[in-house]
Amino acid sequence: MPESEGKDAPKVLRLVLADQLSTRLPMIAQADKARDIILIAEVMAEATYVRHHVKKIAFLFSAMRHFAEALRTAGFTVRYIALDTQGNTQTIDGEIKRAVAELAPDSVAVTEPGEWRLKAIFEALESRLPVPIDILPDTRFLCTHNRFKAWADDRSGLRMEFFYREMRKAYGILLEADGKPVGGKWNYDVENRKPATGGTRSPRRLSFRKDTITKDVMDLVRRSFPNGFGTLEPFHFAVTRTQALRELDHFVAEILPHFGENQDAMLTGEAYLYHSLLSTYLNAGLLYPLEVCQAAETAYGEGRVPLNAAEGFIRQVLGWREFIRGIYWRYMPDYVNQNVLEASEPLPWLYWSGDTRMTCMREAISHTREHAYSHHIQRLMITGNFALIAGLNPKEVHEWYLSVYADAYEWVELPNTLGMALYADGGIVASKPYAASGNYINRMSNFCKSCAYEPKLTLGANACPFNALYWDFLARHRDRFAANARMPYVYSTWDKMGEAKQTLIKTQAATHLLALRTGTL
Ligand code: FAD
Ligand code: DLZ
Ligand code: SF4
């Protein structure tokens, strides 16, 4: 760390947001311990702009406090504003202004935030501060804005698979000396994504001991957010980098070997299965994306995990995660208003309560309420798929996803929700809508076995709601999707049903929507 050389060196007030808890960021790496002040603030505005899960708030506040403590131990001066600190203005910009007034720094530095909303706040602050404000890059990501722009500007359509290959080459991950992919293929998905079998169960997971800091934070969260979403206990999260690294080691040693084949499986009562649970730590800054990719690559190199698992995991982090971020910054701020399918059904209360006769939705939402987590296929093919085919309003669905998951920040949540799950961006993220009937859910899970509805029925009182809603969705949007090369058979199946059956299916879909609105589905 550079130390100031003379007493005239400028004093910088350095803001660290809750999801920027990384010492390798220029914000910390370039700080002058002797003069600079690190500002970290728990504020109501950030804790309430959506109805965050209480576990997400507790995780972040505890991780922020541990990070502040580690910085102090390393010799930094930290101004830590707790939620109940006297004088807390309860906004990030308010806390910057207050610190500037009290400490008279020569300038303020912030790291580019992960949400357009906060970036706009920082830009607006520029003219209202007596000192300059510098926005530093977020160097934790593997694809810079310029690199993504150079890649995307050349193309008419942006597809993750091609982006991912470029990233593999750029970082030399799973590459032979001649630049070819290890094993001869870039993507081993055909070996992945098997249904859950009778013997599939979640492997053992780590649970970290709650120290005084975490216990204090949990009390604060109980007092301050009595009506918050979700359950606060049990609380298993890692809250320091050391603990997050243990979670990574545990994943690579015991779970990654089976990651690929179980990626799409779903089981009642099993929230995690073979997923890594690392997004919460990656997104908050406790882990770095390159180190988790390299850990998987090394495990493959040492023969501890098969290639399909290592490649599948690396593709999620080096490919999807970076691609999604590129999309966010390329298309915001207009992106959030996209709604090409003109979906307008209000978000039903069951997304918050989990109160429904549909086992798949009840399971996905109960995992969400309990863990502030559900795995990708539950997010995409259960709650996301339902929102898509029922025509739920994208903005309301987006706010729900942003609230309920411990890993949710707009840069990653929005393109996944609006683009991948809801096709509201008209195909920027997804080449076809991820719409599926009960048949898919029945194949990939055991949910249907304990459901009030029958997955094989489309019509009648016991018919699985996903079926009629699926066909009704495709029929409603025929003009848009009929020509899609990835949907060759669905419309011919629909046409073969004949008009009389089609009318019955549409009426059945309308009945499901009515039940949805009245809370009886
Ligand atoms: P694993 O299944 O173990 O995957 C490994 C890692 O790959 C993850 O930790 C994550 O960093 C990365 N990854 C995988 N898929 C994606 C993806 N599509 N986009 C970005 N990164 C990915 N992810 C978030 O981090 N925050 C969100 O708010 C979020 N919202 C989502 C909303 C919807 C509607 C959908 C369909 C997906 C969303 N995702 C989000 C992506 C993905 O579901 C989560 O990253 C994943 O479930 C996190 O659990 P895990 O760490 O166990 O992931
Ligand atoms: C999500 C969140 C919450 C709950 N609380 C805070 C907070 O008190 N202080 C803070 O600096 N950040 C918080 N955050 C994260 C921000 O709202 C925002 O989502 C990210 O910083 C975007 O990069
Ligand atoms: Fe879900 Fe339909 Fe299966 Fe019930 S029958 S669990 S609603 S897919």
Side-chain angles (χ1 to χ4, degrees):
M1 313 267 166
E3 298 284 333
S4 59
E5 280 168 17
K7 44 180 197 306
D8 293 335
K11 172 162 84 176
V12 185
L13 178 73
R14 297 175 169 271
L15 176 75
V16 173
L17 291 168
D19 56 339
Q20 298 174 343
L21 308 179
S22 307
T23 50
R24 292 186 205 161
L25 279 172
M27 178 60 69
I28 303 295
Q30 294 170 5
D32 179 337
K33 280 184 189 169
R35 296 185 60 87
D36 294 349
I37 296 136
I38 315 284
L39 170 64
I40 305 180
E42 299 168 6
V43 293
M44 269 295 176
E46 295 307 313
T48 55
Y49 72 93
V50 287
R51 194 180 167 217
H52 295 292
H53 198 297
V54 286
K55 274 197 168 85
K56 176 181 184 181
I57 303 176
F59 159 70
L60 284 176
F61 285 6
S62 178
M64 288 158 79
R65 290 182 186 197
H66 281 95
F67 188 70
E69 194 182 68
L71 288 180
R72 282 197 187 108
T73 306
F76 290 94
T77 304
V78 181
R79 177 179 166 102
Y80 193 93
I81 307 296
L83 196 71
D84 51 4
T85 300
Q86 220 184 359
N88 186 339
T89 56
Q90 303 298 352
T91 64
I92 291 292
D93 47 336
E95 282 315 291
I96 295 176
K97 279 192 263 177
R98 201 160 68 97
V100 168
E102 286 176 23
L103 305 168
D106 299 293
S107 69
V108 172
V110 299
T111 301
E112 177 189 80
E115 301 190 351
W116 189 274
R117 175 185 61 84
L118 270 174
K119 189 160 179 256
I121 287 177
F122 293 151
E123 281 163 1
L125 197 57
E126 238 164 348
S127 60
R128 290 188 279 124
L129 280 182
V131 293
I133 174 164
D134 297 316
I135 302 188
L136 308 184
D138 189 338
T139 50
R140 292 171 299 177
F141 289 94
L142 302 175
C143 184
T144 61
H145 295 315
N146 282 344
R147 183 195 282 269
F148 192 83
K149 185 174 179 333
W151 175 79
D153 280 354
D154 274 358
R155 286 166 172 75
S156 51
L158 308 183
R159 287 295 156 248
M160 194 291 295
E161 184 61 30
F162 300 111
F163 169 79
Y164 164 60
R165 291 178 193 181
E166 295 302 313
M167 293 297 285
R168 285 266 296 275
K169 289 182 208 156
Y171 283 89
I173 303 246
L174 292 181
L175 279 197
E176 302 287 6
D178 62 1
K180 300 234 168 70
V182 166
K185 288 195 291 183
W186 291 103
N187 181 319
Y188 288 85
D189 238 9
V190 284
E191 295 172 35
N192 291 341
R193 303 173 184 278
K194 298 193 178 129
T197 61
T200 315
R201 281 287 168 265
S202 283
R204 182 181 69 91
R205 292 290 177 170
L206 301 184
S207 176
F208 294 91
R209 195 181 56 81
K210 292 186 278 293
D211 64 5
T212 319
I213 292 181
T214 300
K215 284 182 190 158
D216 285 352
V217 160
M218 289 174 74
D219 285 343
L220 175 74
V221 169
R222 260 185 223 104
R223 281 197 313 275
S224 310
F225 307 95
N227 302 316
F229 173 72
T231 55
L232 188 56
E233 292 197 79
F235 187 91
H236 303 299
F237 287 95
V239 290
T240 63
R241 174 158 166 79
T242 307
Q243 292 178 343
L245 283 168
R246 277 184 54 207
E247 189 87 60
L248 171 62
D249 288 347
H250 176 72
F251 168 68
V252 172
E254 300 198 20
I255 296 163
L256 180 60
H258 311 284
F259 172 82
E261 60 195 20
N262 289 302
Q263 232 173 306
D264 286 13
M266 295 176 280
L267 282 176
T268 48
E270 301 286 341
Y272 304 142
L273 287 173
Y274 287 83
H275 292 268
S276 70
L277 316 187
L278 295 180
S279 53
T280 300
Y281 310 124
L282 281 165
N283 297 352
L286 299 183
L287 293 177
Y288 298 95
L290 191 57
E291 76 188 348
V292 309
C293 292
Q294 286 170 340
E297 185 186 32
T298 303
Y300 164 70
E302 293 171 353
R304 289 185 279 129
V305 304
L307 183 54
N308 66 307
E311 186 283 314
F313 175 75
I314 288 168
R315 179 159 20 93
Q316 307 309 312
V317 179
L318 187 62
W320 274 113
R321 188 171 185 270
E322 297 289 329
F323 177 75
I324 285 288
R325 177 179 182 252
I327 297 287
Y328 179 78
W329 288 109
R330 185 171 177 83
Y331 292 100
M332 277 296 276
D334 300 335
Y335 194 78
V336 69
N337 296 316
Q338 299 242 36
N339 185 5
V340 300
L341 302 181
E342 296 178 3
S344 59
E345 188 68 29
L347 185 84
W349 180 245
L350 74 84
Y351 272 76
W352 299 106
S353 67
D355 189 8
T356 168
R357 296 163 67 221
M358 296 180 282
T359 299
C360 55
M361 289 289 283
R362 199 173 56 241
E363 279 291 311
I365 293 161
S366 81
H367 296 167
T368 303
R369 287 172 60 89
E370 192 177 338
H371 304 288
Y373 177 86
S374 72
H375 70 65
H376 185 67
I377 291 305
Q378 299 204 341
R379 297 188 203 194
L380 184 62
M381 299 310 292
I382 307 287
T383 43
N385 178 23
F386 186 83
L388 171 72
I389 61 182
L392 304 189
N393 178 298
K395 243 194 201 150
E396 292 183 32
V397 179
H398 148 57
E399 285 186 10
W400 182 79
Y401 278 102
L402 188 56
S403 310
V404 300
Y405 293 117
D407 58 20
Y409 306 92
E410 202 176 78
W411 68 266
V412 56
E413 175 278 326
L414 184 67
N416 269 302
T417 303
L418 215 82
M420 193 185 296
L422 301 182
Y423 204 84
D425 65 1
I428 293 174
V429 170
S431 54
K432 71 175 184 61
Y434 282 95
S437 66
N439 188 29
Y440 169 86
I441 298 170
N442 194 26
R443 197 170 65 245
M444 300 310 296
S445 76
N446 67 354
F447 294 156
C448 305
K449 287 198 179 91
S450 57
C451 187
Y453 297 105
E454 170 53 56
K456 295 204 163 57
L457 294 180
T458 303
L459 297 174
N462 294 334
C464 166
F466 280 80
N467 293 339
L469 289 171
Y470 168 76
W471 286 115
D472 185 55
F473 167 80
L474 290 171
R476 280 199 318 272
H477 298 293
R478 183 173 193 141
D479 288 350
R480 182 176 289 276
F481 297 129
N484 188 312
R486 296 194 63 200
M487 302 173 77
Y489 301 119
V490 284
Y491 286 103
S492 64
T493 308
W494 171 248
D495 290 338
K496 278 186 210 141
M497 288 180 195
E499 212 169 298
K501 187 165 180 197
Q502 289 173 351
T503 306
L504 286 174
I505 291 177
K506 287 181 185 171
T507 308
Q508 177 91 31
T511 308
H512 292 319
L513 285 182
L514 198 62
L516 186 66
R517 286 176 204 140
T518 52
T520 54
L521 196 62

